Amino acid sequence: TYLRDRLGLLAAPGDACRTALHALGLLEPGAAMPSHLLIRPAEPLVVAARKIVARHTLNIRANIHGTLDDLDPEFLHDFRVATRRLRSALRLFADILGPKRCEALRGELRWLGQLLGAVRDLDVFGANLQGQAQRLAEAGGIAGRLAEELACQRGPARNALVAALAARRFSSLMRRLESLAAAPPPRRPRGAQGTPVSEAAPALIWEAQKRVLRLGRVVGPDSPAADFHRLRILFKRLRYACEFFQEAFVDPASGSDPLADYVQAMVRFQDCLGEHQDATTAMSRIQELAREAVKSGALLPEQLLDLGALIQVQREITRDRRGHLAKLWSRFDRRSVRQPLQALGGRTQPPSTDVTPG
C-alpha cells in the first residue's frame, strides 16, 4: 500500500500470483495458449509453423525457473517435452522455415535434451524402482542402495544442467528460437509455404502415419529393443504432428474434434512403449551396477541375488509390454481408426502410397 501510494501505482485486478506472472510475461500453469498463437485452418503453413515454434519456445520459458529451483519433477518433464516438440516441429517444417536454420537449431535442442534427459531418466528410474521394491520385499535393501547410487549420479547431472541453463549457449538458443518465431512471413510465399493449413496438415500427418505403419507392421514380440524404441519415436512424431494442427480442425459450432480419438490411441501406444523403454534402460543400469559390485566386492552374495530379482522384474515388464503392444496394434492398424484423417480433407491418403506389410 505504501509503494502504491508513494509511486502512484494503479491497483491490479485479480490475485497477486496471477498479476505477478502476467507482469513477468509468464503463463499461468494450465493457462490457455494466447489467442494470437492459435492455429487457423485458412492461414498459410509458414505462419502456422512459426506459431508452433513460438508456442513451445514459450513453454520452455514457462518451466525454466521451476527446473532451476528443482521445485517439482514436472517442471523438468514439461521442459523436456517442449524441447522434444520443438525438435519435431523443426524437422517437420524444415523445408518451410529453412533446412540449414532448422538443422542447426535441432542440434542445439538435442544438446539441451540430453542434459534434461540425464536428470529426468534418473528421476523416472528412481520412482519406478521404489514401486518395484515394494513387490519384492526381500529386495528392499538393495533398492535402497540403488537409490543412493542414483542420488549420487543425479547431483552431477543436475549441476551440468543448471550450468548449461546459465550459459550463453542456452540464452543464444532461446534468442534464435524466438527470432524464428517472430520473423514476419514472406511477402510471396514459395511452394508449400503458402499452402493453407487445412490442405497441408492432413498431408503432413499422413506422411508421419506411413512411417509408423511401415515399421509397426514388421515389429514383433521377438524384435530387438532398438526397433521398439524407434517405433516409439515415430509414434511421438505422428502424435506431435496431429497435436500441432488439432485445434484447426475442431468444429466451432459443435466443438467436435475429429482427431481426439486418434491422438488418444497414440497416447496409449506411447505409454506402452515408454514403459518398455524404461524397463529396458533400468535393466541395463542394474546390470551395470551388478558388474561394478562384483568387481569391487561391495555387495554380499545375497544382495547380488536381489539385484537379479530386480532385473527379472524388468524382463517381466518388457515381456508384458510387448504382448500388450501387439493387442494395441491389432486395434490400431485398421482403416476405421485412420478414418478421421480422411475426414480432415486434403491429400490424406493417396491410394498409390498405401503401406503394405513387409
Side-chain angles (χ1 to χ4, degrees):
T1 302
Y2 173 81
L3 289 173
R4 182 195 65 200
D5 295 341
R6 185 75 173 175
L7 302 176
L9 300 176
L10 297 176
D15 62 76
C17 182
R18 178 174 300 171
T19 301
L21 288 170
H22 179 74
L24 291 170
L26 299 175
L27 291 177
E28 289 183 67
M33 192 58 59
S35 59
H36 71 279
L37 293 180
L38 295 178
I39 308 301
R40 315 292 183 184
E43 66 189 359
L45 184 60
V46 66
V47 173
R50 286 198 167 97
K51 286 184 178 181
I52 290 165
V53 171
R55 293 169 75 144
H56 297 296
T57 303
L58 190 61
N59 284 336
I60 286 181
R61 285 278 185 210
N63 288 284
I64 291 174
H65 294 299
T67 299
L68 285 172
D69 294 337
D70 211 12
L71 294 176
D72 188 280
E74 289 306 304
F75 285 102
L76 176 62
H77 171 65
D78 291 350
F79 194 152
R80 190 186 187 191
V81 169
T83 302
R84 284 177 166 175
R85 288 176 185 265
L86 269 173
R87 287 178 61 192
S88 186
L90 292 169
R91 174 189 291 273
L92 189 66
F93 303 123
D95 291 340
I96 306 298
L97 300 175
K100 290 184 179 180
R101 188 178 196 180
C102 288
E103 179 60 31
L105 288 170
R106 284 176 54 224
E108 290 299 276
L109 287 166
R110 189 181 303 113
W111 157 75
L112 179 60
Q114 289 171 347
L115 291 166
L116 292 163
V119 182
R120 175 64 181 171
D121 289 347
L122 290 170
D123 289 343
V124 171
F125 183 24
N128 290 343
L129 184 65
Q130 185 176 7
Q132 292 162 11
Q134 294 174 356
R135 295 169 51 186
L136 297 168
E138 67 277 10
I142 195 63
R145 290 286 299 273
L146 288 175
E148 292 174 3
E149 179 62 27
L150 292 177
C152 291
Q153 294 179 13
R154 190 181 189 275
R158 176 170 153 70
N159 290 341
L161 174 60
V162 170
L165 295 182
R168 291 183 179 179
R169 184 175 180 179
F170 175 67
S171 58
S172 173
L173 170 60
M174 294 303 293
R175 285 195 302 271
R176 291 161 64 190
L177 288 168
E178 289 164 348
S179 175
L180 175 60
R187 293 181 180 179
R188 296 179 180 178
R190 294 180 296 175
Q193 287 183 332
T195 306
V197 165
S198 58
E199 181 181 345
L204 290 171
I205 293 171
W206 171 243
E207 288 299 318
Q209 180 186 255
K210 281 201 303 183
R211 296 184 184 96
V212 168
L213 293 174
R214 186 177 295 116
L215 179 58
R217 286 173 174 171
V218 297
V219 169
D222 298 324
S223 296
D227 285 351
F228 288 89
H229 182 53
R230 176 64 180 169
L231 184 60
R232 181 191 182 200
I233 291 172
L234 293 180
F235 259 116
K236 281 184 179 180
R237 291 176 184 170
L238 173 57
R239 176 186 173 185
Y240 293 163
C242 290
E243 291 178 338
F244 289 156
F245 301 111
Q246 190 170 1
E247 66 200 31
F249 295 97
V250 174
D251 187 332
S254 64
S256 64
D257 183 349
L259 286 174
D261 291 340
Y262 187 65
V263 170
Q264 192 56 43
M266 284 181 280
V267 170
R268 289 190 286 270
F269 271 104
Q270 277 192 259
D271 289 344
C272 177
L273 290 165
E275 290 167 5
H276 180 277
Q277 180 65 20
D278 289 343
T280 301
T281 303
M283 196 185 316
S284 298
R285 285 184 178 275
I286 297 172
Q287 288 171 337
E288 181 182 350
L289 289 170
R291 286 192 292 269
E292 292 176 356
V294 169
K295 289 180 181 179
S296 64
L299 296 178
L300 299 174
E302 57 268 26
Q303 290 177 315
L304 289 174
L305 291 175
D306 290 342
L307 274 178
L310 284 173
I311 292 173
Q312 183 58 32
V313 170
Q314 312 310 318
R315 288 200 180 101
E316 291 174 0
I317 292 173
T318 57
R319 190 182 304 116
D320 177 78
R321 295 298 85 190
R322 288 178 178 227
H324 185 53
L325 178 67
K327 295 177 182 178
L328 288 175
W329 186 262
S330 67
R331 294 196 293 267
F332 177 80
D333 194 8
R334 298 174 182 175
R335 288 188 179 274
S336 60
V337 175
R338 302 194 297 275
Q339 197 69 28
L341 294 187
Q342 296 177 349
L344 299 184
R347 300 185 303 275
T348 52
Q349 188 172 343
S352 62
T353 58
D354 199 7
V355 181
T356 55

